[in-house]
């Protein structure tokens, strides 16, 4: 399963006969995906997944332990708002314990000292164990997060495995340089592990964000303290246990579940953490960056928010453009930092596009994400649910045209109707802010110069999408858009080797690919004199 081309699972491209047909074949629910069964699906008794929750404590120095305070917090099922399990609540003291373990493992332990080949073998054994437990992990991810089970099982978990295969392959291929000097000196440039890496991951893709951060850090020989999102702590603890089964030495990977103002702040400001990586909102990213600077000036990688434009040109096949734009926004309940949340449509096809986009949203199935026919599960929690509804109200109050949706689904859990706004103006809040929910805002544009200017008129610059059959138009737009990724006639293609990150307030640095290794390496120049060298 992990060997399949992952990008085709998470993307919709022009090479497919139709996006809908491809999705049906891959996920095994065919034509049922377009049946509008929202109310019935939500009102039925939710499915209880057959997975045991065995890991709810902190993982420090290879052992599952209670928090120092003894406190726990509930992790909730977003389908119902009911408690799944109580998880150890780490805070500053637990971060101190975890960092101490990571420091000892780096300074005295075998991990950075063992051969890179042996490190790669441990990472590969871990990936194999994940594949053996893939169904349980997918069930746990859906239960804790609310994303469709088929998405977790057939797309995200295989991609997780692929990422660790990728980084295992890099482990013994990281090397330095020799540099010619102007005089009789031998110059080596060494690439060394940076030390203890602090990592803070979000709730929208818990396992994938674990892989994006832990994979390169371990491949480079570092040790890690990772704080999970308080909404979704369960799968990180599970896979960390599998890592130790694969032979990872104690203290190399430490997992602390807890809250941002306590555990997160302690990690960001810790004087013995050598590197920090954070994925989350731009607002929190600013705080993380400040804490890192005020402590020991540790380098920080940030992958933050977005308000990505998705531009549909006048030469577009409207049916395929509608499907791709729908996917770009509604995937993962709209809880995607790079979601195509500003849909720009050329004025000549605007009215036809609106009608078809509305019809597609009305067909979107919302309900229990463990059901095969369901495309959209609940939002992550009550806070995000209420935030989405507030933005919908803002759009209505701003006189954008509500084409469909706009309300909650059912009376239990955090389900929101797929919502489409037309006649959206650039100065509206729904046009400027990251909503992080199933709300599609559709704009009208006249020409390429105008849409480039408007697409770039945002504080974000994470991603963009272009839909056109004209290569010159595609080239003009892809070079003109100020974004870290531009997808042309596809969206959400996340191969392991493709770098991901943003311009402007969408972040600092890149994740995935060869560029991610730079985040976890120090560069050292070693210069020694040469006596009577035969050559320079």
């Amino acid at each position: 399963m992990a060997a399949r081309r992952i990008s085709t699972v998470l993307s919709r491209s022009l090479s497919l006969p139709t996006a809908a047909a491809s999705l049906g074949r891959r996920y095994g629910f065919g034509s049922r995906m377009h049946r509008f069964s929202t109310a019935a699906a939500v009102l039925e008794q939710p499915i209880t997944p057959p997975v045991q929750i065995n890991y709810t404590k902190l993982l420090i120095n290879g052992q599952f332990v209670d928090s120092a305070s003894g406190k726990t917090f509930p992790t909730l099922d977003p389908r119902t708002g009911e408690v799944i399990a109580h998880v150890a609540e780490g805070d500053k003291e637990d971060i101190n314990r975890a960092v101490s373990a990571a420091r000892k493992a780096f300074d005295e332990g075998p991990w950075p000292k063992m051969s890179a080949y042996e490190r790669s073998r441990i990472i590969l054994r871990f990936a194999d164990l994940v594949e053996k437990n893939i169904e349980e992990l997918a069930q746990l991810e859906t239960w804790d997060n609310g994303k469709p089970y088929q998405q977790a099982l057939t797309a995200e978990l295989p991609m997780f495995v692929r990422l660790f295969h990728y980084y295992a392959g890099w482990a013994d291929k990281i090397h330095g340089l020799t540099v010619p000097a102007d005089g009789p000196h031998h110059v080596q440039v060494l690439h060394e592990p940076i030390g203890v890496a602090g990592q803070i991951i979000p709730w929208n893709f818990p396992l994938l964000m674990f892989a994006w951060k832990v994979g390169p850090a371990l491949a480079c020989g570092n040790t890690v303290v990772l704080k999970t999102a308080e909404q979704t702590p369960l799968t990180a603890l599970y896979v960390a246990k599998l890592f130790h089964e694969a032979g990872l030495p104690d203290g190399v990977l430490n997992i602390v579940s807890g809250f941002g103002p306590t555990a997160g702040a302690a990690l960001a400001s810790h004087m013995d953490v050598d590197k920090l990586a954070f994925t989350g909102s731009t607002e929190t990213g600013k705080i993380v960056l400040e804490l890192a600077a005020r402590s020991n000036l540790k380098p920080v990688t940030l992958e933050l928010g977005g308000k990505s434009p998705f531009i549909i040109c006048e030469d577009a096949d409207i049916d395929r453009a509608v499907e791709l734009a729908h996917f770009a926004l509604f995937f993962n309940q709209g809880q995607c930092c790079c979601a195509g949340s500003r849909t720009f449509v050329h004025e000549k096809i605007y009215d036809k596009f609106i009608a078809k986009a509305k019809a597609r949203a009305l067909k979107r199935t919302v309900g229990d994400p463990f059901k095969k026919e369901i495309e959209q599960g609940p939002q992550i929690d009550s806070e995000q649910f209420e935030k989405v509804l507030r933005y919908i109200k803002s759009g209505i109050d701003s006189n954008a045209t509500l084409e469909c949706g706009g309300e909650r689904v059912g009376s239990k859990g955090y389900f929101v109707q797929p919502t489409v706004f037309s006649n959206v103006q650039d100065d509206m809040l729904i046009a400027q802010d990251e909503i992080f929910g199933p709300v599609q805002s559709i704009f009208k544009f006249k020409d390429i110069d105008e849409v480039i200017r408007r697409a770039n008129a945002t504080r974000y610059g994470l991603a963009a999408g272009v839909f056109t059959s004209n290569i010159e138009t595609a080239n003009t737009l892809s070079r003109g858009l100020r974004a870290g990724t531009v997808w042309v006639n596809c969206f959400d293609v996340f191969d392991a080797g493709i770098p991901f990150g943003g311009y402007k307030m969408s972040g600092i640095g890149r994740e995935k690919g060869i560029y991610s290794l730079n985040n976890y390496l120090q560069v050292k120049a070693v210069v020694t004199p040469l006596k009577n060298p035969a050559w320079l």
Side-chain angles (χ1 to χ4, degrees), residues 142-157:
T142 292
W143 198 3
D144 210 17
N145 173 275
K147 66 178 68 232
Y149 173 66
Q150 294 298 322
Q151 173 186 317
L153 178 67
T154 65
E156 294 184 22
L157 263 299

Side-chain angles (χ1 to χ4, degrees), residues 6 9 47 54 57 66 77 110 138 141 143 199 296 439 480 499 525:
I6 299 301
V9 181
I47 294 171
N54 297 318
K57 297 183 178 183
D66 292 323
D77 182 344
E141 189 85 329
W143 198 3
Q199 302 178 331
N296 59 345
V439 182

Side-chain angles (χ1 to χ4, degrees), residues 49 51 53 76-79 84 139-145 370:
V51 58
I53 300 172
L76 305 180
D77 182 344
R79 300 174 301 168
I84 300 173
Q139 291 164 7
L140 201 57
E141 189 85 329
T142 292
W143 198 3
D144 210 17
N145 173 275
F370 281 103

Side-chain angles (χ1 to χ4, degrees), residues 438-499:
V439 182
Q440 185 177 32
S441 299
I442 307 178
F443 306 72
K444 184 188 294 185
F445 75 93
K446 293 181 179 180
D447 57 52
I448 297 300
D449 289 340
E450 174 204 330
V451 78
I452 290 175
R453 174 181 54 78
R454 292 172 62 195
N456 288 336
T458 172
R459 59 188 178 274
Y460 299 112
L462 190 56
V466 173
F467 198 95
T468 180
S469 59
N470 187 310
I471 187 63
E472 297 301 332
T473 300
N475 286 337
T476 298
L477 285 167
S478 61
R479 284 160 175 74
L481 294 168
R482 304 262 317 150
T485 300
V486 179
W487 287 294
V488 178
N489 297 331
C490 59
F491 209 86
D492 282 352
V493 179
F494 286 116
D495 282 28
I498 300 175

Side-chain angles (χ1 to χ4, degrees), residues 4 8-9 11-12 16-34 150 154 323 327 360 372-375:
R4 75 165 64 181
T8 60
V9 181
S11 68
R12 303 290 179 269
L16 303 178
T18 66
S22 173
L23 185 65
R25 285 197 301 274
R26 286 188 182 277
Y27 289 177
F29 48 84
S31 61
R32 288 183 296 170
M33 68 177 289
H34 290 311
Q150 294 298 322
T154 65
E323 187 64 32
F327 169 77
R360 177 64 181 93
K372 272 192 174 181
E373 68 271 17
I374 294 301
E375 297 174 275

Side-chain angles (χ1 to χ4, degrees), residues 214-394:
V214 172
L218 295 188
C220 292
N222 299 283
T223 59
V224 172
V225 177
L226 182 140
K227 191 199 88 68
T228 58
E230 57 267 28
Q231 298 90 342
T232 53
L234 298 178
T235 48
L237 293 167
Y238 190 124
V239 295
K241 178 67 167 71
L242 296 180
F243 237 134
H244 283 84
E245 289 182 21
L248 191 72
D250 292 349
V252 173
L253 175 62
N254 305 273
I255 309 293
V256 178
S257 50
F259 294 87
T262 51
L267 185 59
S269 59
H270 203 289
M271 293 295 293
D272 210 18
V273 170
D274 300 303
K275 159 73 187 177
L276 191 66
F278 169 81
T279 295
S281 72
T282 295
E283 291 71 22
T284 306
K286 291 179 181 179
I287 297 171
V288 165
L289 190 60
E290 181 179 1
L291 290 171
R294 288 182 178 276
S295 52
N296 59 345
L297 208 62
K298 62 180 72 65
V300 180
T301 303
L302 300 173
E303 195 265 283
L304 306 176
K307 194 67 177 176
S308 301
F310 186 87
I311 299 168
I312 299 165
C313 300
E314 62 179 302
D315 60 1
D317 178 320
I318 295 181
D319 288 336
R320 305 184 78 173
V322 164
E323 187 64 32
L324 188 58
H326 181 89
F327 169 77
L329 184 282
F330 290 101
F331 175 66
N332 206 51
Q333 293 70 249
Q335 298 170 152
C336 200
C337 55
C338 58
S341 53
R342 291 184 294 151
T343 307
F344 287 94
V345 181
H346 194 276
E347 62 181 4
K348 290 184 179 180
I349 60 172
Y350 187 81
D351 291 340
K352 289 182 179 179
F353 184 93
I354 292 296
K356 290 177 178 289
K358 174 182 177 180
R360 177 64 181 93
L362 287 170
K363 292 177 181 177
R364 186 170 183 81
T365 52
V366 182
D368 189 337
F370 281 103
K371 293 179 179 291
K372 272 192 174 181
E373 68 271 17
I374 294 301
E375 297 174 275
Q376 180 177 314
Q379 308 310 121
I380 185 66
D381 60 15
S382 60
E383 181 179 350
Q384 186 63 24
F385 171 78
E386 295 294 343
K387 174 187 171 185
V388 171
L389 293 180
R390 285 197 302 272
Y391 274 112
I392 291 172
K393 183 178 185 301
S394 171

